[in-house]
């Protein structure tokens, strides 16, 4: 169901005192329940059966995970394999073929792939021939849209350091029309400290060629909280970013957890900005981006008002999935490749995380699934509440009550009670049955969502990142 608002509350008003008080660790809600609830005792057979018996004609979303990277970025917390051995991607493609062929036998080719995303790792670790081969394989097994169909959203994550400019037109020919480019920071000292040297000119060249070849919505990824960043230096990066006019921007918080993510041990803690400086960097960034016309969509994401994400938010059609915000709803998501996550109806499934295990399962003609989760009725209700808040900053509680045949205030009595202090602090407000996040509460949106998360008390908060 869609719990659509009448208008989004998109402006952010900075309130240092509130942020200091409310800034805790919490899930990012790319799913509800979060992946920490997934279990290896999940009924894989029933899940697989669901693909066979699923909606045979509904749209399909594909995610393809390419785990390889040629170089290690020290801040990285992704599931990746660092290698210079280019033969490894050749082998990997053979296994992707095995996996997609297993699913294609169940799903058939009736379902149109309206959305596709290649993520990593580094999808552009693949050379031109391999990218063409992978698209060809996908076309053999699934119903991809032709490049003449502008309704498709086919996105690829780009590392400009591992992509020849001549390959960009090929990406367009292969059907991609959206790209997300990793930048993080243009400052040379920051780049050296995180082992990711990538010039402004290189990023600009990729964007120019991409635009000339029809890429309509380009996202740049930035990170705040990296070593040697200061307010002034990050503003210099932002000025360069703004000059490139990306339609979308992601501004992620760097969480320094060297005991969890080994690569981060190469970052000297004394080079990191203090918590106060980090907040000042974020504050400055939000003010600057809003001043030049970027809208805060929510949860680290910004978009120009003319971009489809902002328009979808205006129209109450925004959705959230494992890749962040999306304009498309109602798609089952099939994740292919090591560690990839799928979402079929109300079930989630994640593939094996280690490459050798993923290969071994497919060699034995097994489904390479590690763990998963099947939602119950309460999960579905809470998922709609949380996603409504995250996507639109508003929740029509009467509409929720009607859709789920519940008395909202009775069902969520403890949650509504817990909203009291947030209302007093100005994070939220009530207009009749409509709960809205205020501009002061926008950055603390996750705090409001956590109140409706039944599983949060069961999981140590340290397993999640800081909200800001
Ligand atoms: S940040 Fe991206 S490119 Fe860098 S090592 Fe991690 S996955 Fe690879």
């Amino acid at each position: 169901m869609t719990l659509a608002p009448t208008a989004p509350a998109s402006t952010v008003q900075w309130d240092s005192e509130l942020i200091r008080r409310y800034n805790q660790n919490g899930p990012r809600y790319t799913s509800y329940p979060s992946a920490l609830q997934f279990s290896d005792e999940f009924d894989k057979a029933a899940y697989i059966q669901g693909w066979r018996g699923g909606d045979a004609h509904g749209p399909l979303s594909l995610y393809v995970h390419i785990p390889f990277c040629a170089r290690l970025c020290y801040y990285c917390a992704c599931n990746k394999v660092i290698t210079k051995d280019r033969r490894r991607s050749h082998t990997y493609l053979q296994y992707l073929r095995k996996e997609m062929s297993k699913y294609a036998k169940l799903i058939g080719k009736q379902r149109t792939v309206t959305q596709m995303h290649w993520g990593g790792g580094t999808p552009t670790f693949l050379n031109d021939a391999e990218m063409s081969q992978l698209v060809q394989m996908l076309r053999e097994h699934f119903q991809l849209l032709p490049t003449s169909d502008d309704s498709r959203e086919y996105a690829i994550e780009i590392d400009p350091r591992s992509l020849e400019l001549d390959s960009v037109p090929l990406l367009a020919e292969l059907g991609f029309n959206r790209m997300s480019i990793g930048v993080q920071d243009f400052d040379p000292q920051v780049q050296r400290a995180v082992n990711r040297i990538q010039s402004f000119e290189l990023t600009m060249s990729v964007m120019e060629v991409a635009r000339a070849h029809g890429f309509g919505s380009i996202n740049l990824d930035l990170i705040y909280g990296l070593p040697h960043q200061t307010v002034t230096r990050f503003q210099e990066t932002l000025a360069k970013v703004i000059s490139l006019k990306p339609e979308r921007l992601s501004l992620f918080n760097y969480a320094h957890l060297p005991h969890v993510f080994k690569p981060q041990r190469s970052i000297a803690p004394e080079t990191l900005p203090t918590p106060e400086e980090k907040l000042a960097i974020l504050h400055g960034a939000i003010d600057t981006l809003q001043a030049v016309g970027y809208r805060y969509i929510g949860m680290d994401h910004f978009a120009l008002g003319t971009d489809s994400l902002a328009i979808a938010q205006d129209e109450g059609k925004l959705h959230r999935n494992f890749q962040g915000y999306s304009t498309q709803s109602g798609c089952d998501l099939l994740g292919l490749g090591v560690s990839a996550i799928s979402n079929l109806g109300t079930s989630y499934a994640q593939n094996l995380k280690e490459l050798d295990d993923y290969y071994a399962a497919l060699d034995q003609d097994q489904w390479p699934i590690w763990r998963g989760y099947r939602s119950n009725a309460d999960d579905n209700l809470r998922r709609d509440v949380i996603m409504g808040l995250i996507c639109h900053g508003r929740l029509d509680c009467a509409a929720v009550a009607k859709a789920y045949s519940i008395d909202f205030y009775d069902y969520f009595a403890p949650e509504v009670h817990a909203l009291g202090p947030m209302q007093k602090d100005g994070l939220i407000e009530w207009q009749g049955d409509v709960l809205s996040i205020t501009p002061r509460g926008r950055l603390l949106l996750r705090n409001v969502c956590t109140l409706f998360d039944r599983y949060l008390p069961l999981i140590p908060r340290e397993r999640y990142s800081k909200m800001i």
Side-chain angles (χ1 to χ4, degrees), residues 147-200:
T147 47
S148 55
D149 191 325
D150 289 338
S151 70
R152 76 196 191 285
E153 285 188 8
Y154 290 1
I156 180 166
E157 293 173 10
I158 300 278
D159 182 345
R161 302 169 304 159
S162 68
L163 181 78
E164 297 295 330
L165 279 184
D166 292 346
S167 302
V168 177
L170 172 71
L171 292 177
E173 264 173 52
L174 293 176
F176 290 102
N177 57 357
R178 306 204 189 279
M179 68 167 61
S180 180
I181 304 177
V183 170
Q184 323 318 343
D185 194 316
F186 281 127
D187 185 280
Q189 193 182 4
V190 176
Q191 291 194 350
R192 279 194 298 277
V194 298
N195 196 37
R196 189 184 172 112
I197 310 292
Q198 178 183 322
S199 72
F200 170 73

Side-chain angles (χ1 to χ4, degrees), residues 69 71-73 75-76 78 80 82 121-122 159 161 196:
C69 298
R71 280 161 292 217
L72 175 68
C73 310
Y75 54 80
C76 182
C78 302
K80 78 281 172 190
I82 305 296
T122 308
D159 182 345
R161 302 169 304 159
R196 189 184 172 112

Side-chain angles (χ1 to χ4, degrees), residues 64 66 68 87-100 118 126-127 129-135 137 358-359:
V64 186
I66 310 293
F68 305 108
R87 288 167 304 181
R88 295 190 71 176
S89 44
H90 176 77
T91 306
Y92 188 70
L93 289 190
Q94 309 317 309
Y95 282 90
L96 276 179
R97 178 188 282 282
K98 286 185 192 210
E99 189 187 7
M100 65 179 81
W118 291 12
L126 303 182
N127 62 31
E130 289 170 329
M131 288 194 282
S132 303
Q133 189 193 347
L134 180 50
V135 169
M137 277 159 46
Y358 172 77
Y359 289 168

Side-chain angles (χ1 to χ4, degrees), residues 364-384:
Q364 292 163 33
D365 200 22
Q366 311 263 318
W367 296 98
I369 297 170
W370 167 32
R371 59 181 186 170
Y373 188 86
R374 185 178 185 137
S375 303
N376 58 35
D378 177 72
D379 294 330
N380 295 337
L381 164 57
R382 288 172 190 272
R383 177 174 64 177
D384 274 347

